[in-house]
Amino acid sequence: MTLPDTMKAMVLTGHGGLDRLEWREDMPVPHPAAGEVLIRVSASAVNNTDVNTRTGWYSKAVRGDTNAAAATGYDGASDADGAWSGALSFPRIQGADCCGEIVAVGEGVASARIGERVLVRPMNRPAGGDEDALVTFGSERDGGFAEFTTIASEHALRIDSPLSNVELASFPCAFSTAEGMVQRAGLGAERVLITGASGGVGSAAVQLAKRRGAHVTAMTSPAKAEDLRALGADAILHRDDALPEGAFDVVLDLVGGPRWPSLLEALAVRGRYVTSGAIAGPIVELDLRTLYLKDLTLIGSTRQDPRVFTDLVGYIERAEIRPVLAETYKLRDLRAAQEAFLSKSHMGKIGIEIAN
């Protein structure tokens, strides 16, 4: 196959507002290094991490919710440590989700892989690096908001599914985050509360918790309650409802913010709290008496065992989970897609089609 020298991509030129996303048609097509594959990207999707990385929300200088400066950024205040692992190099091609086809391989990778339909593991360790190091597709390395991308061969997992490319692209980031939380919690047939349940990770967590036999209570707005019941939620709590004390064995929290103390009160004795997000704000108040008198366990969930993603691919292939796709945009309309994402009026994911 003859590959082009240049490609179309949406490029992040620095931390800031939507104006930092620049449409380019002259980006060089990357070459797969030893042990890597080159993927022709078919589809991606929008995630909170795309917006948070663009604005620099991960910086310790930022104390507000994720929507506060999502359209404008923080005027340089977060440049020094605005990404997952600190400072980010620019330009950067974002896009933590990727479904596509392998079209070339680097040294040491079997040529038989060419032609495989794959999903990319969005979070991985660098080859030969510290096992605690973090490399996020679309953050520490270029991602799926382009016509072509590269990744280590082991992180491009073959997928056999009748789902469309954009449906498959809705899984990697959100579902692996949710499955990582579920596995860290060791969730079984227990009572679980899921906050932010209508978003990409939250709606994934509803399905994944239900798959394990849990009794799922989803926290959401009234308008999205029936959609979440259709995904498997057994009960609904609205965002302003009082939380019942001691009612849950596990809380999967994506929201944080001022209501955070009530989440711990809602846990039963020896309950487990797991977080992988803080869209309502990262700074919370903890009463240590609640923590130790109830023998609670607090768990942060970012790094993922490799089995999280391989398990997820298996769930997809066996149709044990399904995509929740609200809208689809073309890559060159990514700014509009992020604006729609920020309105929070959708359920699940916003897909991105890559024209190539």
Side-chain angles (χ1 to χ4, degrees), residues 181 251-256 260 273-278 298-302:
M181 296 173 76
V251 169
L252 303 180
D253 181 30
L254 302 159
V255 175
W260 188 83
Y273 166 91
V274 189
T275 181
S276 191
L298 306 186
I299 304 169
S301 181
T302 294

Side-chain angles (χ1 to χ4, degrees), residues 273-290:
Y273 166 91
V274 189
T275 181
S276 191
I279 60 174
I283 309 302
V284 298
E285 183 178 87
L286 170 63
D287 186 334
L288 288 171
R289 293 165 295 190
T290 303

Side-chain angles (χ1 to χ4, degrees), residues 241-267:
D241 287 350
L243 298 182
E245 291 192 17
F248 304 102
D249 303 298
V250 175
V251 169
L252 303 180
D253 181 30
L254 302 159
V255 175
R259 293 199 66 192
W260 188 83
S262 65
L263 296 177
L264 298 195
E265 297 294 349
L267 280 167

Side-chain angles (χ1 to χ4, degrees), residues 301-317:
S301 181
T302 294
R303 288 159 181 80
Q304 298 168 7
D305 189 281
R307 65 164 289 186
V308 167
F309 200 68
T310 53
D311 286 350
L312 180 62
V313 169
Y315 305 158
I316 297 168
E317 292 185 332

Side-chain angles (χ1 to χ4, degrees), residues 201-217:
V201 179
S203 59
V206 169
Q207 292 192 61
L208 292 165
K210 201 62 192 167
R211 180 189 167 276
R212 287 178 169 235
H215 181 280
V216 177
T217 298

Side-chain angles (χ1 to χ4, degrees), residues 9-329:
M10 188 63 79
V11 177
L12 182 65
T13 59
H15 291 304
L18 289 163
D19 60 310
R20 290 289 196 165
L21 293 170
E22 181 179 304
W23 177 249
R24 297 279 299 275
E25 299 188 0
D26 60 351
M27 294 295 291
V29 172
H31 296 281
E36 292 186 342
V37 296
L38 176 68
I39 299 169
R40 186 191 300 273
V41 183
S42 299
S44 186
V46 179
N47 293 281
N48 270 310
T49 189
D50 302 321
V51 177
N52 295 344
T53 297
R54 171 174 57 75
T55 63
W57 179 83
Y58 296 110
S59 170
K60 294 292 187 181
V62 177
R63 299 176 67 85
D65 63 81
T66 57
N67 249 25
T72 60
Y74 297 99
D75 294 325
S78 61
D79 286 1
D81 60 342
W84 287 94
S85 301
L88 193 67
S89 60
F90 299 102
R92 174 64 69 213
I93 297 171
Q94 292 186 280
D97 289 316
C98 176
C99 175
E101 178 188 350
I102 294 176
V103 293
V105 298
E107 182 182 351
V109 180
S111 60
R113 294 216 64 187
I114 294 174
E116 286 184 6
R117 191 188 196 195
V118 295
L119 290 180
V120 172
R121 179 182 280 116
M123 194 166 292
N124 51 77
R125 302 185 186 110
D130 188 325
E131 66 176 14
D132 291 330
L134 186 66
V135 175
T136 308
F137 189 64
S139 181
E140 283 70 38
R141 67 174 294 150
D142 286 344
F145 290 160
E147 291 183 303
F148 295 91
T149 192
T150 59
I151 194 72
S153 177
E154 65 187 287
H155 300 313
L157 276 68
R158 181 172 180 165
I159 183 79
D160 182 9
S161 171
L163 294 173
S164 70
N165 292 324
V166 73
E167 287 174 325
L168 286 173
S170 71
F171 284 111
C173 184
F175 276 78
S176 64
T177 299
E179 179 68 6
M181 296 173 76
V182 165
Q183 292 194 15
R184 289 292 303 277
L187 182 66
E190 303 172 277
R191 303 164 299 168
V192 60
L193 172 66
I194 300 172
T195 68
S198 65
V201 179
S203 59
V206 169
Q207 292 192 61
L208 292 165
K210 201 62 192 167
R211 180 189 167 276
R212 287 178 169 235
H215 181 280
V216 177
T217 298
M219 184 173 287
T220 189
S221 62
K224 299 171 183 174
E226 289 310 309
D227 288 334
L228 284 166
R229 288 189 187 277
L231 283 182
D234 299 287
I236 300 293
L237 280 173
H238 298 152
R239 290 170 183 158
D240 296 328
D241 287 350
L243 298 182
E245 291 192 17
F248 304 102
D249 303 298
V250 175
V251 169
L252 303 180
D253 181 30
L254 302 159
V255 175
R259 293 199 66 192
W260 188 83
S262 65
L263 296 177
L264 298 195
E265 297 294 349
L267 280 167
V269 171
R270 298 186 185 88
R272 291 101 72 204
Y273 166 91
V274 189
T275 181
S276 191
I279 60 174
I283 309 302
V284 298
E285 183 178 87
L286 170 63
D287 186 334
L288 288 171
R289 293 165 295 190
T290 303
L291 176 61
Y292 73 77
L293 290 174
K294 296 180 74 171
D295 289 288
L296 302 180
T297 300
L298 306 186
I299 304 169
S301 181
T302 294
R303 288 159 181 80
Q304 298 168 7
D305 189 281
R307 65 164 289 186
V308 167
F309 200 68
T310 53
D311 286 350
L312 180 62
V313 169
Y315 305 158
I316 297 168
E317 292 185 332
R318 294 189 297 272
E320 296 175 4
I321 52 177
R322 64 181 178 87
V324 182
L325 196 62
E327 296 179 81
T328 301
Y329 288 77

